[in-house]
Amino acid sequence: MRPSLAFACLLFIFTLSQFTAFSFSSVQPVLCHNDERLALMQFKESFIINKRASAASSSIYHRADNWKFQGVDWKFQGVDCCSWYGIECDKITGQVIGLHLSRSGLYGSINSSSSLFHLVHLQKLNLAYIDFNYSVIPSALGNLSMLTYLNLSNSVFSGLIPAMLGNLTKLYLMDLSKNYFTGSIPSELTNLTELTYLNLMRNMLQGSVPSSISRLKKLEFFYCDVNGLSGTVEFDTFLQLKLLKYLLLSFNNFYLISRNNTNVTSPQLVDIELQNCHLRGFPYFLRNQHQLQLLDLSSNNIEGPIPNCMSKVSIETLLFLDLSNNSLTGFDEFPVVLPWSNLRFLKLDSNILQGSLTVPPFSTTFYSILNNSLTGEIPKLLCNQSSLSILDISHNN
C-alpha cells in the first residue's frame, strides 16, 4: 500500500472514531443534580400519601410514591430523578425545571423551610388538588424567581396571599382558586405584568380589586368570582386590559360601576359573568361587543326594557344569555324572533316581563322565562322550534 493511501486510510479511521465517540457522548442522557434529587426526596418525605384522596385517580397514585432510590450505583449515584414521574428537567443542564404533582395524593403541611425551595431553577410548579392541610403559602415561594407557571388550585391553603408572590415577575399563569385565602388581593400581584391568566375564584377574599390591575396589559383571563370582595369597582379598569377575553366577577359584595364612556375602546370579550354585582343598567361597553359567547347579568338591579342596542350585541357568536332575577319589563324594538342566531341557552326568569311570550332564536335548546307577567297566547313560531328541548313558561298569566 502506498504511503499516501495508508495515511488517508488512517485519517479516515481516526475521524470516524472521533465522530462515533462524539455521537455517543451527545446522546447520553443528562442526569439530574444530586442536590436537587435530595431536595425532591426530602420534599416527598415531608408528606404522607393519602390513599383515599388518590382512589379516584389510581393511575397517578404512585407519582410521588415511586420517588425512591433503586439500586444505588457508584457511577450514577442513584436513580436519575429526571426520569421520575412528574419531574421535568432541562435537557442540557439536567436542572429540575418542572414539578407536576397535581392529584398525586400528597397530604401534609408546608413552610418556608421546605426543601421545595431549594429547587431554584423551577419554571413550572403544579401542586393543584393536593391537601396542604390549611397551610399558609410560605413567603419563600416568592424566591423561586424563574417560575413562569404556578398552579395551587384546590389545595387547601388558607391565610393571606403573600405579597412576595409579586416577585415572580416571569409568571404567565397563576391559579390560586378554590382555597381558603382571606384578606385582600395584594397590590403586589399587579407587578406580574407577564400574566395572561389569573384565577382567584372561590376563596374568602375581602377588600376591593386593586385599580392597579390595569397594569396587567397581557391579561386574557381574570377569574375572581365567589369571594367576599366589597366596595366600588370601576368597570373602566378592566376595559384598559385590551387583550382580556374572560372576566368573571360574580357573587361578590361590591358595586360594579359602568360609565357611558364612548372614548374607551373596549377589549373584545368571550365570557362575561357579572352575576350579583349590583348593576343598575346594561353596561355601555356591551354595545361594542362582537365576539361574546357567554353573557350573565343575572341577579342584579337592572330595571326597565332591554334596550334595542342589545339586539346588535354578538348576534352571531352568543351562545348563553342569562338576564334572570332583575326588574326587566320587556324588549325595546326587538325583532319578533330574538336576533342571536346561534344562541343555545336563554334564561329570563323572575323579571316583570309583560305582553306576549318572546320567541327565542331557532337554535335555542334551553328557554326559561318563568315567574314573569306575560299574557296572551303562545306564539305559533314557538311551535316551530325544532331544537328546543327544555321550555319553562310557568308562573305567568
Side-chain angles (χ1 to χ4, degrees):
M1 182 180 291
R2 288 180 293 179
S4 60
L5 181 59
F7 177 76
C9 290
L10 288 171
L11 182 63
F12 173 76
I13 293 170
F14 175 77
T15 304
L16 181 61
S17 65
Q18 292 294 103
F19 175 78
T20 303
F22 173 78
S23 299
F24 179 77
S25 63
S26 65
V27 299
Q28 295 304 298
V30 179
L31 302 180
C32 74
H33 296 222
N34 289 337
D35 59 334
E36 293 191 323
R37 177 172 62 245
L38 181 60
L40 286 168
M41 290 301 300
Q42 289 175 342
F43 177 69
K44 181 258 176 178
E45 289 168 1
S46 67
F47 294 87
I48 64 173
I49 301 294
N50 186 342
K51 296 182 179 181
R52 181 176 298 179
S54 302
S57 305
S58 57
S59 63
I60 58 177
Y61 165 65
H62 292 294
R63 274 190 188 181
D65 204 36
N66 281 345
W67 293 3
K68 52 190 173 184
F69 298 115
Q70 300 174 356
V72 175
D73 186 276
W74 68 271
K75 187 175 182 180
F76 296 103
Q77 298 183 4
V79 143
D80 177 21
C81 68
C82 293
S83 66
W84 294 348
Y85 199 86
I87 308 301
E88 179 184 356
C89 290
D90 186 284
K91 290 180 172 57
I92 297 174
T93 66
Q95 294 164 337
V96 176
I97 60 172
L99 188 55
H100 310 279
L101 292 179
S102 175
R103 301 178 188 271
S104 58
L106 292 177
Y107 172 83
S109 300
I110 188 172
N111 55 46
S112 287
S113 65
S114 172
S115 62
L116 171 67
F117 305 117
H118 298 166
L119 303 173
V120 295
H121 303 287
L122 273 181
Q123 298 174 21
K124 300 175 183 177
L125 180 59
N126 186 353
L127 302 178
Y129 292 88
I130 290 177
D131 190 341
F132 283 99
N133 193 28
Y134 301 95
S135 295
V136 175
I137 291 183
S139 58
L141 182 59
N143 296 329
L144 298 179
S145 59
M146 302 298 289
L147 281 180
T148 61
Y149 177 102
L150 176 62
N151 188 349
L152 303 178
S153 63
N154 213 338
S155 295
V156 199
F157 278 110
S158 65
L160 304 179
I161 297 174
M164 285 286 286
L165 295 188
N167 294 343
L168 305 177
T169 54
K170 294 184 179 181
L171 281 181
Y172 70 84
L173 180 145
M174 177 186 284
D175 191 342
L176 305 179
S177 62
K178 301 178 183 179
N179 281 289
Y180 299 89
F181 294 121
T182 57
S184 60
I185 300 173
S187 59
E188 288 82 359
L189 295 189
T190 64
N191 294 335
L192 309 179
T193 54
E194 295 298 313
L195 278 180
T196 62
Y197 181 103
L198 177 57
N199 193 343
L200 303 173
M201 68 182 291
R202 294 186 183 275
N203 281 287
M204 298 183 289
L205 296 171
Q206 300 171 339
S208 189
V209 178
S211 59
S212 55
I213 198 172
S214 60
R215 297 176 57 199
L216 304 182
K217 300 300 184 184
K218 296 183 180 181
L219 199 62
E220 298 178 32
F221 302 80
F222 182 52
Y223 303 147
C224 202
D225 46 321
V226 195
N227 276 286
L229 299 173
S230 58
T232 299
V233 176
E234 292 276 354
F235 205 91
D236 284 1
T237 301
F238 302 106
L239 299 184
Q240 297 178 52
L241 305 174
K242 302 307 181 185
L243 300 180
L244 194 64
K245 298 294 183 185
Y246 295 81
L247 179 63
L248 280 65
L249 300 175
S250 297
F251 293 109
N252 280 286
N253 297 322
F254 53 62
Y255 286 78
L256 190 59
I257 305 299
S258 176
R259 304 190 185 282
N260 296 345
N261 192 343
T262 58
N263 296 322
V264 175
T265 302
S266 60
Q268 290 296 310
L269 291 113
V270 173
D271 183 346
I272 302 175
E273 299 183 31
L274 305 178
Q275 189 174 3
N276 194 33
C277 286
H278 301 282
L279 286 169
R280 292 189 172 276
F282 287 89
Y284 187 87
F285 79 94
L286 285 176
R287 63 189 65 199
N288 298 316
Q289 294 297 309
H290 308 298
Q291 298 177 18
L292 274 177
Q293 295 180 14
L294 188 153
L295 177 60
D296 188 346
L297 302 179
S298 62
S299 300
N300 280 288
N301 302 318
I302 305 175
E303 300 178 345
I306 301 170
N308 177 259
C309 63
M310 287 297 296
S311 68
K312 301 174 178 62
V313 171
S314 302
I315 57 175
E316 296 181 353
T317 61
L318 195 64
L319 304 174
F320 179 107
L321 179 61
D322 190 347
L323 302 177
S324 61
N325 292 291
N326 281 285
S327 298
L328 301 171
T329 57
F331 291 84
D332 184 14
E333 299 182 359
F334 273 65
V336 174
V337 178
L338 295 179
W340 302 289
S341 58
N342 288 299
L343 196 70
R344 300 290 188 271
F345 181 103
L346 178 60
K347 191 171 184 181
L348 301 171
D349 303 348
S350 301
N351 282 283
I352 48 176
L353 295 171
Q354 302 169 4
S356 59
L357 180 63
T358 302
V359 180
F362 291 105
S363 58
T364 307
T365 59
F366 177 98
Y367 179 34
S368 181
I369 195 169
L370 65 90
N371 194 27
N372 279 281
S373 300
L374 300 174
T375 56
E377 298 181 352
I378 296 176
K380 292 182 179 179
L381 282 171
L382 195 61
C383 301
N384 298 328
Q385 297 271 348
S386 59
S387 298
L388 198 61
S389 59
I390 297 177
L391 172 65
D392 192 342
I393 58 175
S394 60
H395 300 285
N396 280 283
N397 297 319

